Amino acid sequence: MLAVLLGPPGSGKGTQAQSIVKKLGLTHLSTGDLLRKAVSDQTKLGLDAKGYMDSGELVPDEVVIGLIQERLSEIKDVLFDGFPRNIEQAVALDKMLEGIGLSLDQVINLLASDEEVLQRLSARNREDDTIETVENRIRVYKDQTAPLVDYYQAQGKLRTVDGMGTVEEVFDRICREMES
Ligand code: AMP
């Protein structure tokens, strides 16, 4: 199983990703987690990425694509979380997978209203969650990441899930979609 979890910042994606990988036995591949680790380890890549992350911009494509490429050998049963973030990354992922004879099975699109997203994000307390950063992350999502919905719809892989409700309710919906 190769799946992507899509959804705006604050849609509950990270929480749901943890439950999904546990239930379905998938490897959780989160570029956000990999980048935060690089920042805390103070690697060159982390130092280069930090400014983009602090302002809510996307880290350059070649950096995140490189992070995924390094993990290609682990890619068998994977939930991609936070990657791809734009069409270029989606095309690169399709090519990388094709190169090892694989392709994505499904893309879960978690829906959340702007209001809900803003409310959830302002209640959160991560280092890159200042108001300016949050607003920029939402803008970047709409401009760069939301077009992936049409990209995967055209591939017939998109499954849409209502992200409103309790964590458990949303998780049940995701499981029903992924298992159907
Ligand atoms: P996340 O935890 O997925 O919300 O990611 C936190 C930050 O890391 C984002 O705001 C971006 O700056 C950066 N980031 C994570 N994944 C990507 C990606 N696929 N492409 C570019 N930047 C990313």
Side-chain angles (χ1 to χ4, degrees), residues 152-177:
Y152 288 123
Q153 180 87 61
Q155 292 189 354
K157 293 180 178 168
L158 196 76
R159 297 175 179 217
T160 301
V161 174
D162 178 2
M164 307 295 277
T166 65
V167 171
E168 292 75 20
E169 283 165 349
V170 177
F171 182 55
D172 280 350
R173 281 180 214 134
I174 295 176
C175 290
R176 257 181 275 137
E177 274 299 329

mmCIF file of all heavy atoms in Angstrom, residues 152-177:
data_model
loop_
_atom_site.group_PDB
_atom_site.id
_atom_site.type_symbol
_atom_site.label_atom_id
_atom_site.label_comp_id
_atom_site.label_asym_id
_atom_site.label_seq_id
_atom_site.Cartn_x
_atom_site.Cartn_y
_atom_site.Cartn_z
ATOM 1 N N TYR A 152 -4.531 14.421 -8.643
ATOM 2 C CA TYR A 152 -4.805 13.030 -8.251
ATOM 3 C C TYR A 152 -6.217 12.593 -8.634
ATOM 4 O O TYR A 152 -6.456 11.411 -8.860
ATOM 5 C CB TYR A 152 -4.551 12.833 -6.753
ATOM 6 C CG TYR A 152 -3.077 12.853 -6.427
ATOM 7 C CD1 TYR A 152 -2.550 13.748 -5.510
ATOM 8 C CD2 TYR A 152 -2.192 11.959 -7.040
ATOM 9 C CE1 TYR A 152 -1.196 13.767 -5.206
ATOM 10 C CE2 TYR A 152 -0.839 11.970 -6.760
ATOM 11 C CZ TYR A 152 -0.347 12.877 -5.837
ATOM 12 O OH TYR A 152 1.000 12.895 -5.556
ATOM 13 N N GLN A 153 -7.121 13.555 -8.716
ATOM 14 C CA GLN A 153 -8.469 13.238 -9.202
ATOM 15 C C GLN A 153 -8.360 12.712 -10.635
ATOM 16 O O GLN A 153 -8.971 11.704 -10.987
ATOM 17 C CB GLN A 153 -9.325 14.514 -9.172
ATOM 18 C CG GLN A 153 -10.748 14.328 -9.655
ATOM 19 C CD GLN A 153 -11.667 13.895 -8.526
ATOM 20 O OE1 GLN A 153 -11.816 14.620 -7.544
ATOM 21 N NE2 GLN A 153 -12.240 12.721 -8.648
ATOM 22 N N ALA A 154 -7.541 13.389 -11.438
ATOM 23 C CA ALA A 154 -7.372 12.988 -12.832
ATOM 24 C C ALA A 154 -6.757 11.587 -12.936
ATOM 25 O O ALA A 154 -6.982 10.870 -13.906
ATOM 26 C CB ALA A 154 -6.502 14.011 -13.571
ATOM 27 N N GLN A 155 -5.979 11.197 -11.934
ATOM 28 C CA GLN A 155 -5.386 9.850 -11.924
ATOM 29 C C GLN A 155 -6.357 8.814 -11.349
ATOM 30 O O GLN A 155 -6.018 7.629 -11.253
ATOM 31 C CB GLN A 155 -4.111 9.841 -11.081
ATOM 32 C CG GLN A 155 -2.950 10.627 -11.665
ATOM 33 C CD GLN A 155 -1.649 10.389 -10.870
ATOM 34 O OE1 GLN A 155 -1.630 9.727 -9.830
ATOM 35 N NE2 GLN A 155 -0.562 10.934 -11.369
ATOM 36 N N GLY A 156 -7.520 9.280 -10.888
ATOM 37 C CA GLY A 156 -8.511 8.361 -10.307
ATOM 38 C C GLY A 156 -8.117 7.840 -8.935
ATOM 39 O O GLY A 156 -8.598 6.798 -8.495
ATOM 40 N N LYS A 157 -7.239 8.565 -8.236
ATOM 41 C CA LYS A 157 -6.738 8.059 -6.951
ATOM 42 C C LYS A 157 -7.293 8.790 -5.734
ATOM 43 O O LYS A 157 -7.034 8.408 -4.599
ATOM 44 C CB LYS A 157 -5.210 8.151 -6.930
ATOM 45 C CG LYS A 157 -4.593 7.206 -7.924
ATOM 46 C CD LYS A 157 -3.092 7.245 -7.961
ATOM 47 C CE LYS A 157 -2.616 6.208 -8.964
ATOM 48 N NZ LYS A 157 -1.198 6.358 -9.282
ATOM 49 N N LEU A 158 -8.019 9.858 -5.997
ATOM 50 C CA LEU A 158 -8.421 10.735 -4.893
ATOM 51 C C LEU A 158 -9.615 10.189 -4.109
ATOM 52 O O LEU A 158 -10.603 9.763 -4.688
ATOM 53 C CB LEU A 158 -8.781 12.115 -5.439
ATOM 54 C CG LEU A 158 -8.845 13.189 -4.366
ATOM 55 C CD1 LEU A 158 -7.437 13.601 -3.946
ATOM 56 C CD2 LEU A 158 -9.620 14.398 -4.846
ATOM 57 N N ARG A 159 -9.479 10.213 -2.793
ATOM 58 C CA ARG A 159 -10.593 9.853 -1.908
ATOM 59 C C ARG A 159 -10.775 10.968 -0.893
ATOM 60 O O ARG A 159 -9.821 11.303 -0.185
ATOM 61 C CB ARG A 159 -10.299 8.544 -1.195
ATOM 62 C CG ARG A 159 -10.178 7.424 -2.205
ATOM 63 C CD ARG A 159 -9.777 6.143 -1.570
ATOM 64 N NE ARG A 159 -9.699 5.122 -2.597
ATOM 65 C CZ ARG A 159 -10.056 3.874 -2.415
ATOM 66 N NH1 ARG A 159 -10.512 3.481 -1.252
ATOM 67 N NH2 ARG A 159 -9.948 3.003 -3.396
ATOM 68 N N THR A 160 -11.948 11.525 -0.869
ATOM 69 C CA THR A 160 -12.174 12.703 -0.039
ATOM 70 C C THR A 160 -12.831 12.322 1.279
ATOM 71 O O THR A 160 -13.767 11.529 1.299
ATOM 72 C CB THR A 160 -13.074 13.685 -0.813
ATOM 73 O OG1 THR A 160 -12.391 14.002 -2.025
ATOM 74 C CG2 THR A 160 -13.298 14.961 -0.030
ATOM 75 N N VAL A 161 -12.296 12.876 2.355
ATOM 76 C CA VAL A 161 -12.820 12.567 3.687
ATOM 77 C C VAL A 161 -13.120 13.869 4.436
ATOM 78 O O VAL A 161 -12.289 14.777 4.473
ATOM 79 C CB VAL A 161 -11.791 11.727 4.499
ATOM 80 C CG1 VAL A 161 -12.258 11.533 5.930
ATOM 81 C CG2 VAL A 161 -11.544 10.385 3.826
ATOM 82 N N ASP A 162 -14.300 13.929 5.048
ATOM 83 C CA ASP A 162 -14.684 15.079 5.869
ATOM 84 C C ASP A 162 -13.841 15.069 7.148
ATOM 85 O O ASP A 162 -13.890 14.115 7.922
ATOM 86 C CB ASP A 162 -16.185 14.949 6.183
ATOM 87 C CG ASP A 162 -16.691 16.064 7.076
ATOM 88 O OD1 ASP A 162 -15.905 16.960 7.436
ATOM 89 O OD2 ASP A 162 -17.884 16.024 7.412
ATOM 90 N N GLY A 163 -13.066 16.136 7.327
ATOM 91 C CA GLY A 163 -12.160 16.203 8.479
ATOM 92 C C GLY A 163 -12.763 16.849 9.716
ATOM 93 O O GLY A 163 -12.068 17.075 10.705
ATOM 94 N N MET A 164 -14.064 17.162 9.657
ATOM 95 C CA MET A 164 -14.715 17.778 10.817
ATOM 96 C C MET A 164 -15.223 16.689 11.765
ATOM 97 O O MET A 164 -15.648 15.636 11.320
ATOM 98 C CB MET A 164 -15.907 18.635 10.358
ATOM 99 C CG MET A 164 -15.564 19.646 9.282
ATOM 100 S SD MET A 164 -14.430 20.888 9.859
ATOM 101 C CE MET A 164 -15.603 21.984 10.642
ATOM 102 N N GLY A 165 -15.183 16.995 13.058
ATOM 103 C CA GLY A 165 -15.667 16.026 14.039
ATOM 104 C C GLY A 165 -14.554 15.607 14.969
ATOM 105 O O GLY A 165 -13.468 16.201 14.952
ATOM 106 N N THR A 166 -14.798 14.591 15.776
ATOM 107 C CA THR A 166 -13.763 14.164 16.728
ATOM 108 C C THR A 166 -12.672 13.408 15.977
ATOM 109 O O THR A 166 -12.878 12.937 14.849
ATOM 110 C CB THR A 166 -14.336 13.230 17.816
ATOM 111 O OG1 THR A 166 -14.775 12.019 17.167
ATOM 112 C CG2 THR A 166 -15.502 13.862 18.560
ATOM 113 N N VAL A 167 -11.525 13.273 16.615
ATOM 114 C CA VAL A 167 -10.406 12.529 16.029
ATOM 115 C C VAL A 167 -10.861 11.117 15.654
ATOM 116 O O VAL A 167 -10.541 10.612 14.574
ATOM 117 C CB VAL A 167 -9.223 12.473 17.039
ATOM 118 C CG1 VAL A 167 -8.138 11.540 16.562
ATOM 119 C CG2 VAL A 167 -8.652 13.865 17.262
ATOM 120 N N GLU A 168 -11.655 10.511 16.537
ATOM 121 C CA GLU A 168 -12.119 9.129 16.306
ATOM 122 C C GLU A 168 -13.069 9.052 15.106
ATOM 123 O O GLU A 168 -12.968 8.136 14.284
ATOM 124 C CB GLU A 168 -12.828 8.557 17.537
ATOM 125 C CG GLU A 168 -11.923 8.326 18.740
ATOM 126 C CD GLU A 168 -11.550 9.623 19.469
ATOM 127 O OE1 GLU A 168 -12.277 10.645 19.297
ATOM 128 O OE2 GLU A 168 -10.530 9.632 20.187
ATOM 129 N N GLU A 169 -13.978 10.035 15.027
ATOM 130 C CA GLU A 169 -14.933 10.033 13.906
ATOM 131 C C GLU A 169 -14.196 10.149 12.578
ATOM 132 O O GLU A 169 -14.488 9.431 11.619
ATOM 133 C CB GLU A 169 -15.914 11.209 14.028
ATOM 134 C CG GLU A 169 -17.010 11.003 15.058
ATOM 135 C CD GLU A 169 -17.744 12.298 15.425
ATOM 136 O OE1 GLU A 169 -17.294 13.412 15.045
ATOM 137 O OE2 GLU A 169 -18.757 12.198 16.109
ATOM 138 N N VAL A 170 -13.228 11.071 12.538
ATOM 139 C CA VAL A 170 -12.493 11.287 11.291
ATOM 140 C C VAL A 170 -11.675 10.040 10.945
ATOM 141 O O VAL A 170 -11.640 9.601 9.795
ATOM 142 C CB VAL A 170 -11.586 12.542 11.396
ATOM 143 C CG1 VAL A 170 -10.760 12.726 10.137
ATOM 144 C CG2 VAL A 170 -12.427 13.789 11.672
ATOM 145 N N PHE A 171 -11.067 9.454 11.968
ATOM 146 C CA PHE A 171 -10.263 8.248 11.746
ATOM 147 C C PHE A 171 -11.123 7.124 11.157
ATOM 148 O O PHE A 171 -10.707 6.443 10.216
ATOM 149 C CB PHE A 171 -9.601 7.801 13.054
ATOM 150 C CG PHE A 171 -8.725 6.594 12.902
ATOM 151 C CD1 PHE A 171 -7.690 6.571 11.976
ATOM 152 C CD2 PHE A 171 -8.939 5.464 13.676
ATOM 153 C CE1 PHE A 171 -6.877 5.463 11.819
ATOM 154 C CE2 PHE A 171 -8.126 4.343 13.524
ATOM 155 C CZ PHE A 171 -7.102 4.346 12.599
ATOM 156 N N ASP A 172 -12.329 6.939 11.693
ATOM 157 C CA ASP A 172 -13.240 5.906 11.165
ATOM 158 C C ASP A 172 -13.542 6.150 9.690
ATOM 159 O O ASP A 172 -13.534 5.225 8.884
ATOM 160 C CB ASP A 172 -14.570 5.920 11.943
ATOM 161 C CG ASP A 172 -14.435 5.176 13.258
ATOM 162 O OD1 ASP A 172 -13.401 4.499 13.464
ATOM 163 O OD2 ASP A 172 -15.359 5.293 14.100
ATOM 164 N N ARG A 173 -13.790 7.424 9.358
ATOM 165 C CA ARG A 173 -14.092 7.749 7.955
ATOM 166 C C ARG A 173 -12.909 7.414 7.048
ATOM 167 O O ARG A 173 -13.065 6.862 5.973
ATOM 168 C CB ARG A 173 -14.404 9.248 7.796
ATOM 169 C CG ARG A 173 -15.791 9.616 8.216
ATOM 170 C CD ARG A 173 -16.024 11.121 8.035
ATOM 171 N NE ARG A 173 -16.898 11.584 9.082
ATOM 172 C CZ ARG A 173 -16.713 12.687 9.820
ATOM 173 N NH1 ARG A 173 -15.684 13.482 9.598
ATOM 174 N NH2 ARG A 173 -17.547 13.002 10.764
ATOM 175 N N ILE A 174 -11.716 7.775 7.524
ATOM 176 C CA ILE A 174 -10.513 7.508 6.709
ATOM 177 C C ILE A 174 -10.353 6.002 6.499
ATOM 178 O O ILE A 174 -10.112 5.542 5.383
ATOM 179 C CB ILE A 174 -9.246 8.088 7.384
ATOM 180 C CG1 ILE A 174 -9.324 9.613 7.436
ATOM 181 C CG2 ILE A 174 -7.988 7.650 6.638
ATOM 182 C CD1 ILE A 174 -8.158 10.267 8.175
ATOM 183 N N CYS A 175 -10.517 5.241 7.570
ATOM 184 C CA CYS A 175 -10.342 3.790 7.466
ATOM 185 C C CYS A 175 -11.337 3.199 6.483
ATOM 186 O O CYS A 175 -10.985 2.352 5.663
ATOM 187 C CB CYS A 175 -10.512 3.114 8.831
ATOM 188 S SG CYS A 175 -9.154 3.508 9.936
ATOM 189 N N ARG A 176 -12.574 3.667 6.563
ATOM 190 C CA ARG A 176 -13.601 3.142 5.638
ATOM 191 C C ARG A 176 -13.207 3.444 4.198
ATOM 192 O O ARG A 176 -13.309 2.581 3.325
ATOM 193 C CB ARG A 176 -14.969 3.749 5.961
ATOM 194 C CG ARG A 176 -15.843 2.748 6.705
ATOM 195 C CD ARG A 176 -17.216 3.319 7.008
ATOM 196 N NE ARG A 176 -17.179 4.090 8.258
ATOM 197 C CZ ARG A 176 -17.767 5.275 8.424
ATOM 198 N NH1 ARG A 176 -18.391 5.860 7.437
ATOM 199 N NH2 ARG A 176 -17.705 5.878 9.587
ATOM 200 N N GLU A 177 -12.703 4.646 3.942
ATOM 201 C CA GLU A 177 -12.282 5.004 2.579
ATOM 202 C C GLU A 177 -11.103 4.164 2.121
ATOM 203 O O GLU A 177 -11.065 3.694 0.992
ATOM 204 C CB GLU A 177 -11.870 6.481 2.519
ATOM 205 C CG GLU A 177 -12.982 7.453 2.277
ATOM 206 C CD GLU A 177 -13.692 7.231 0.949
ATOM 207 O OE1 GLU A 177 -13.062 6.781 -0.018
ATOM 208 O OE2 GLU A 177 -14.903 7.491 0.883
#
